[in-house]
Amino acid sequence: MRKPYRFETRTIHAGQPADPSTGAVMTPIYQTSTYRQKRVGEHLGYEYSRTGNPTRHALEECLSSLEEGHAGLAFASGMAAIDAILHLLRPGDHVLAVDDLYGGTYRIFEQTYAPMGVSFSYAPASEPAAFLKHLRPETRLIWLETPTNPLLNLCDIRGIAEGARKMNSSAWICVDNTFATPYLQQPLNLGADIVLHSTTKYLGGHSDVVGGAIVVRDAALAERLAFLQNAVGAVPGPMDCFLVLRGIKTLPVRMERHASNAEAVARFLETHEAIEQVFYPGLPSHPQHDLARRQMRNGGGMVSFTAKGGTHAARRIAEGTHLFALAESLGGVESLIEVPAAMTHASTLDSPLAVSPALIRLSVGLENTQDLVEDLRQALDALA
Ligand SMILES: *Cc1c(COP(=O)(O)O)cnc(C)c1O
């Protein structure tokens, strides 16, 4: 299914025609590892489920349509998808990455690929020209995350893609679009080559599945990554693909509500006397609010902040909410709170990417807005 249909329609229908054998409206969970062949090599397009499975195929088509790419590939986790992208590299290659990253991305860079001879450097990516000064002749991959996890800085995707092209860089530009989702921004349309997702987060949307995905716009790159998906084999099972497909159907309505709740929470936090700083791209106080308005449909559902009481206060707030559950992960319908330095980003401890232990990160869910604000208020008031 391609364009004429708009985004909301494609979340529900792309890649998901009624099942040809039964008419089932929901894509069946094809719980099979293999497929009967009529004659040797003569089959209906499926041979073995590591290589291809109809439920996974529906998800891959849907993701490709939403990111407006050439092809989508589903993986067993976001990290498995990242690993497949890093398998494109060879010893001696260099990766230039934004300097605020998901902790697991930093960990696989430094602890899995650096020992094999790939080098990594990190730089702020808010100013394209300053960021691209770190490009080298051997840079094969530019790694962006926007908004970044956990500081919610933005990368100017179009500015970086145009700048890199002007410098004749042959590096692929990969954008981790997990925080924004294709509903808020479509990196391929802004000049990126590869989009990465942890579908565990907003695409799945219900904290009930772990998954990952890649979408690319170049056919040759798609073929190489599909080879790696099959050769390395970190594929998701059909049940997990079904759950992500079902989650995606409500992505647009969820993202609207995540963002309106997050904005209300961020505005409340800005007015509370116990708060030092609030990070939310949808607030005019965010240093890249103009870029957010250009690049993203809304500010998203993630909010980070620091309290005046520092590390001690951060712990007390994170342990003092009732509705916001103290937990890692994000993007589900329920609200979560965490301390990145001690939880999701523990692997960056003592590194240049270390985050302040006083930082708190919220994944703002779909509960009643006032209930969420009141929960945070009681946790903050308890500090006094
Ligand atoms: C969670 C996450 C990942 C890793 O995905 P998994 O599904 O947990 O393997 C990568 N990038 C970002 C931004 C994430 O939040």
Side-chain angles (χ1 to χ4, degrees):
M1 173 177 298
R2 19 207 166 312
K3 281 217 198 144
Y5 289 114
R6 294 171 182 81
F7 189 89
E8 293 79 356
T9 308
R10 286 183 279 132
T11 61
I12 296 166
H13 296 288
Q16 300 158 83
D19 182 53
S21 58
T22 63
V25 166
M26 285 301 289
T27 305
I29 300 161
Y30 282 92
Q31 196 73 49
T32 185
S33 62
T34 191
Y35 306 81
R36 187 168 182 164
Q37 308 200 359
K38 241 190 164 143
R39 294 160 186 275
V40 178
E42 195 182 317
H43 52 74
L44 299 169
Y46 297 97
E47 299 157 78
Y48 184 59
S49 279
R50 171 160 37 72
T51 319
N53 172 282
T55 316
R56 190 176 98 211
H57 183 70
L59 173 61
E60 293 177 332
E61 290 287 303
C62 183
L63 290 165
S64 175
S65 168
L66 297 185
E67 289 287 5
E68 304 194 6
H70 172 79
L73 296 164
F75 288 85
S77 68
M79 291 316 304
I82 293 173
D83 181 59
I85 295 165
L86 295 174
H87 265 93
L88 296 168
L89 305 176
R90 292 285 168 272
D93 287 348
H94 171 253
V95 179
L96 172 58
V98 59
D99 67 347
D100 180 28
L101 278 174
Y102 175 65
T105 306
Y106 179 71
R107 183 175 56 200
I108 195 172
F109 282 1
E110 292 299 326
Q111 297 190 38
T112 306
Y113 281 85
M116 296 199 286
V118 178
S119 64
F120 296 87
S121 40
Y122 307 91
S126 47
E127 289 300 324
F131 179 68
L132 292 170
K133 285 211 174 84
H134 299 271
L135 270 183
R136 301 180 194 166
E138 67 272 22
T139 306
R140 283 298 284 148
L141 182 63
I142 293 173
W143 192 277
L144 305 176
E145 202 180 286
T146 180
T148 62
N149 182 358
L151 287 172
L152 303 168
N153 293 315
L154 303 192
C155 310
D156 180 346
I157 301 171
R158 191 190 291 281
I160 290 170
E162 284 175 358
R165 215 142 284 140
K166 277 200 197 107
M167 293 165 75
N168 285 322
S169 165
S170 63
W172 294 296
I173 298 175
C174 176
V175 177
D176 184 334
N177 205 24
T178 300
F179 271 33
T181 83
Y183 181 66
L184 303 197
Q185 79 194 2
Q186 291 162 319
L188 301 181
N189 286 336
L190 298 171
D193 302 289
I194 305 171
V195 176
L196 168 95
H197 282 284
S198 168
T199 57
T200 314
K201 315 295 168 54
Y202 287 107
L203 293 177
H206 296 75
S207 305
D208 54 9
V209 63
V210 171
I214 298 171
V215 183
V216 295
R217 58 190 170 100
D218 175 73
L221 187 56
E223 201 174 317
R224 177 71 192 152
L225 285 164
F227 169 83
L228 288 166
Q229 180 196 39
N230 181 52
V232 179
V235 294
M239 177 72 191
D240 289 355
C241 293
F242 172 87
L243 287 170
V244 177
L245 268 175
R246 188 172 71 165
I248 288 173
K249 289 177 193 289
T250 53
L251 180 71
V253 284
R254 284 189 288 108
M255 292 314 290
E256 289 293 342
R257 177 63 179 237
H258 278 299
S260 63
N261 271 356
E263 186 174 333
V265 161
R267 285 187 189 278
F268 159 72
L269 290 171
E270 273 200 327
T271 63
H272 198 283
E273 58 184 16
I275 297 296
E276 186 183 61
Q277 199 179 353
V278 178
F279 306 86
Y280 182 65
L283 283 184
S285 62
H286 191 280
Q288 294 162 293
H289 183 60
D290 287 342
L291 175 59
R293 295 187 57 161
R294 258 185 289 136
Q295 187 165 275
M296 300 166 69
R297 195 195 292 250
N298 63 40
M302 301 299 294
V303 178
S304 292
F305 65 97
T306 51
K308 284 179 185 148
T311 309
H312 179 67
R315 294 277 171 124
R316 283 187 59 198
I317 296 164
E319 292 168 5
T321 53
H322 303 300
L323 209 43
F324 281 86
L326 178 60
E328 301 199 0
S329 200
L330 61 110
V333 294
E334 64 291 312
S335 292
L336 304 178
I337 188 166
E338 69 131 357
V339 178
M343 297 171 66
T344 50
H345 288 67
S347 66
T348 64
L349 192 73
D350 295 329
S351 83
L353 274 72
V355 291
S356 162
L359 189 77
I360 296 174
R361 191 189 78 180
L362 304 176
S363 174
V364 181
L366 308 185
E367 298 92 339
N368 177 276
T369 317
Q370 219 39 49
D371 284 342
L372 293 177
V373 167
E374 282 167 17
D375 189 35
L376 289 167
R377 180 182 289 129
Q378 64 78 29
L380 291 169
D381 289 350
L383 294 173

